[in-house]
Coordinates of all heavy atoms in Angstrom, one line a residue:
S68 N -9.9 -12.3 -13.0 CA -10.9 -13.2 -12.4 C -12.0 -12.4 -11.8 O -13.1 -13.0 -11.6 CB -10.2 -14.0 -11.3 OG -9.9 -13.2 -10.1
L69 N -11.9 -11.1 -11.6 CA -13.0 -10.2 -11.2 C -13.7 -9.6 -12.3 O -14.6 -8.8 -12.1 CB -12.4 -9.1 -10.2 CG -11.7 -9.6 -9.0 CD1 -11.0 -8.4 -8.3 CD2 -12.7 -10.3 -8.0
G70 N -13.3 -10.0 -13.5 CA -14.0 -9.5 -14.7 C -13.4 -8.3 -15.4 O -14.0 -7.7 -16.3
A71 N -12.2 -7.9 -15.0 CA -11.6 -6.7 -15.6 C -10.7 -7.1 -16.7 O -10.1 -8.2 -16.8 CB -10.8 -6.0 -14.5
D72 N -10.5 -6.1 -17.6 CA -9.5 -6.2 -18.7 C -9.1 -4.7 -18.9 O -9.4 -3.8 -18.1 CB -10.0 -6.9 -19.9 CG -11.2 -6.2 -20.6 OD1 -11.5 -5.0 -20.3 OD2 -12.0 -6.9 -21.3
E73 N -8.3 -4.5 -20.0 CA -7.8 -3.2 -20.3 C -8.8 -2.2 -20.6 O -8.5 -1.0 -20.5 CB -6.7 -3.3 -21.4 CG -5.4 -3.9 -20.9 CD -4.3 -3.9 -22.0 OE1 -4.6 -3.7 -23.2 OE2 -3.2 -3.9 -21.6
R74 N -10.0 -2.6 -20.8 CA -11.1 -1.6 -21.1 C -11.8 -1.1 -19.8 O -12.6 -0.2 -19.8 CB -12.2 -2.2 -22.0 CG -11.6 -2.6 -23.4 CD -12.6 -3.5 -24.1 NE -12.8 -4.8 -23.4 CZ -13.7 -5.7 -23.7 NH1 -14.5 -5.4 -24.8 NH2 -13.9 -6.8 -23.1
T75 N -11.5 -1.8 -18.7 CA -12.2 -1.6 -17.4 C -11.6 -0.4 -16.7 O -10.4 -0.3 -16.6 CB -12.1 -2.8 -16.5 OG1 -12.6 -4.0 -17.3 CG2 -12.9 -2.7 -15.3
T76 N -12.4 0.5 -16.2 CA -12.0 1.5 -15.2 C -12.1 0.9 -13.8 O -13.1 0.5 -13.4 CB -12.9 2.7 -15.3 OG1 -12.8 3.3 -16.6 CG2 -12.5 3.8 -14.3
V77 N -10.9 0.8 -13.2 CA -10.8 0.2 -11.9 C -10.7 1.3 -10.8 O -9.9 2.2 -10.9 CB -9.6 -0.7 -11.8 CG1 -9.5 -1.3 -10.4 CG2 -9.6 -1.8 -12.8
V78 N -11.6 1.3 -9.9 CA -11.7 2.2 -8.8 C -11.5 1.5 -7.5 O -12.2 0.5 -7.2 CB -13.0 3.0 -8.8 CG1 -13.0 4.0 -7.7 CG2 -13.2 3.7 -10.1
L79 N -10.6 2.0 -6.7 CA -10.3 1.4 -5.4 C -10.6 2.3 -4.2 O -10.5 3.5 -4.3 CB -8.8 1.1 -5.3 CG -8.2 0.4 -6.6 CD1 -6.7 0.4 -6.5 CD2 -8.7 -1.0 -6.7
Y80 N -11.1 1.7 -3.2 CA -11.4 2.5 -2.0 C -11.3 1.5 -0.8 O -11.1 0.3 -0.9 CB -12.8 3.1 -2.0 CG -14.0 2.2 -1.7 CD1 -14.6 2.2 -0.5 CD2 -14.5 1.4 -2.7 CE1 -15.7 1.3 -0.2 CE2 -15.6 0.5 -2.4 CZ -16.2 0.5 -1.2 OH -17.2 -0.3 -0.9
D81 N -11.4 2.1 0.4 CA -11.4 1.3 1.7 C -12.3 2.1 2.6 O -13.0 3.0 2.3 CB -10.0 1.1 2.2 CG -9.2 2.3 2.5 OD1 -9.8 3.4 2.9 OD2 -8.0 2.3 2.3
Q82 N -12.4 1.6 3.9 CA -13.3 2.1 4.8 C -12.9 3.4 5.5 O -13.5 3.9 6.4 CB -13.6 1.0 5.9 CG -14.2 -0.3 5.4 CD -15.7 -0.1 5.1 OE1 -16.4 0.6 5.7 NE2 -16.1 -0.8 4.0
G83 N -11.8 3.9 5.0 CA -11.4 5.3 5.5 C -10.0 5.6 5.7 O -9.6 6.7 5.7
S84 N -9.1 4.6 5.9 CA -7.7 4.8 6.1 C -6.9 5.3 4.9 O -5.9 5.9 5.0 CB -7.0 3.6 6.7 OG -6.9 2.6 5.7
L85 N -7.4 4.9 3.7 CA -6.9 5.2 2.4 C -5.6 4.3 2.1 O -5.3 4.2 1.0 CB -6.5 6.7 2.3 CG -6.4 7.3 0.9 CD1 -7.7 7.1 0.2 CD2 -6.1 8.8 0.9
Q86 N -5.0 3.8 3.2 CA -3.8 3.0 2.9 C -4.0 1.7 2.2 O -3.2 1.2 1.5 CB -3.0 2.8 4.3 CG -3.8 1.9 5.3 CD -3.1 1.8 6.6 OE1 -2.0 2.3 6.7 NE2 -3.7 1.1 7.5
W87 N -5.2 1.0 2.5 CA -5.4 -0.2 1.8 C -5.7 -0.1 0.3 O -5.3 -0.8 -0.5 CB -6.6 -1.0 2.5 CG -6.2 -1.2 4.0 CD1 -6.8 -0.6 5.1 CD2 -5.3 -2.2 4.5 NE1 -6.2 -1.1 6.2 CE2 -5.3 -2.1 5.9 CE3 -4.4 -3.1 3.8 CZ2 -4.4 -2.8 6.7 CZ3 -3.6 -3.8 4.6 CH2 -3.6 -3.7 6.0
A88 N -6.5 1.0 0.0 CA -6.7 1.3 -1.4 C -5.4 1.6 -2.1 O -5.2 1.2 -3.2 CB -7.7 2.4 -1.5
A89 N -4.6 2.4 -1.4 CA -3.3 2.8 -1.9 C -2.4 1.6 -2.1 O -1.6 1.5 -3.1 CB -2.6 3.8 -1.0
R90 N -2.5 0.6 -1.2 CA -1.7 -0.6 -1.4 C -2.0 -1.4 -2.6 O -1.1 -1.7 -3.4 CB -1.9 -1.5 -0.2 CG -1.2 -2.9 -0.3 CD 0.3 -2.9 -0.4 NE 0.9 -4.2 -0.7 CZ 2.1 -4.5 -0.6 NH1 3.0 -3.5 -0.3 NH2 2.6 -5.7 -0.9
L91 N -3.3 -1.6 -2.9 CA -3.7 -2.3 -4.1 C -3.4 -1.4 -5.3 O -3.0 -2.0 -6.4 CB -5.2 -2.6 -4.0 CG -5.8 -3.4 -5.2 CD1 -4.9 -4.7 -5.4 CD2 -7.2 -3.8 -4.9
W92 N -3.5 -0.1 -5.2 CA -3.1 0.8 -6.3 C -1.7 0.6 -6.7 O -1.3 0.5 -7.9 CB -3.4 2.2 -6.0 CG -2.9 3.2 -6.9 CD1 -3.4 3.6 -8.1 CD2 -1.6 4.0 -6.8 NE1 -2.6 4.6 -8.7 CE2 -1.5 4.8 -7.9 CE3 -0.7 4.0 -5.8 CZ2 -0.5 5.7 -8.1 CZ3 0.4 4.9 -6.0 CH2 0.5 5.7 -7.1
W93 N -0.8 0.5 -5.7 CA 0.7 0.3 -6.0 C 1.0 -1.0 -6.6 O 1.8 -1.1 -7.5 CB 1.4 0.5 -4.7 CG 2.9 0.6 -4.9 CD1 3.9 -0.3 -4.5 CD2 3.6 1.8 -5.4 NE1 5.1 0.2 -4.8 CE2 5.0 1.5 -5.3 CE3 3.2 3.0 -5.9 CZ2 6.0 2.3 -5.8 CZ3 4.2 3.9 -6.3 CH2 5.6 3.6 -6.3
V94 N 0.3 -2.1 -6.1 CA 0.5 -3.4 -6.7 C 0.0 -3.4 -8.2 O 0.7 -4.0 -9.1 CB -0.3 -4.5 -5.9 CG1 -0.4 -5.8 -6.6 CG2 0.3 -4.6 -4.5
L95 N -1.1 -2.8 -8.5 CA -1.6 -2.8 -9.8 C -0.7 -1.9 -10.7 O -0.4 -2.2 -11.9 CB -3.0 -2.2 -9.9 CG -4.1 -3.1 -9.2 CD1 -5.5 -2.4 -9.3 CD2 -4.1 -4.5 -9.8
R96 N -0.2 -0.8 -10.1 CA 0.7 0.1 -10.9 C 1.9 -0.6 -11.3 O 2.4 -0.5 -12.5 CB 1.0 1.3 -10.0 CG 1.9 2.4 -10.7 CD 2.1 3.5 -9.7 NE 3.0 4.5 -10.2 CZ 2.6 5.6 -10.9 NH1 1.3 5.8 -11.1 NH2 3.5 6.5 -11.3
D97 N 2.5 -1.4 -10.5 CA 3.7 -2.2 -10.8 C 3.4 -3.2 -12.0 O 4.3 -3.4 -12.8 CB 4.3 -2.9 -9.6 CG 5.5 -3.7 -10.0 OD1 6.6 -3.1 -10.2 OD2 5.4 -5.0 -10.0
A98 N 2.2 -3.7 -12.0 CA 1.8 -4.6 -13.0 C 1.3 -3.9 -14.3 O 0.9 -4.6 -15.2 CB 0.7 -5.5 -12.5
G99 N 1.4 -2.6 -14.4 CA 1.1 -1.9 -15.6 C -0.4 -1.7 -15.7 O -0.9 -1.3 -16.8
V100 N -1.2 -1.8 -14.6 CA -2.6 -1.6 -14.7 C -3.0 -0.3 -14.1 O -2.7 -0.1 -12.9 CB -3.3 -2.8 -14.0 CG1 -4.9 -2.6 -14.0 CG2 -3.0 -4.1 -14.6

Side-chain angles (χ1 to χ4, degrees):
S68 72
L69 298 172
D72 58 24
E73 288 188 334
R74 300 167 296 174
T75 306
T76 298
V77 180
V78 180
L79 312 172
Y80 79 97
D81 56 34
Q82 297 286 322
S84 70
L85 205 57
Q86 63 182 359
W87 300 107
R90 171 65 186 190
L91 185 50
W92 171 81
W93 192 250
V94 170
L95 295 180
R96 183 180 177 89
D97 180 69
V100 178

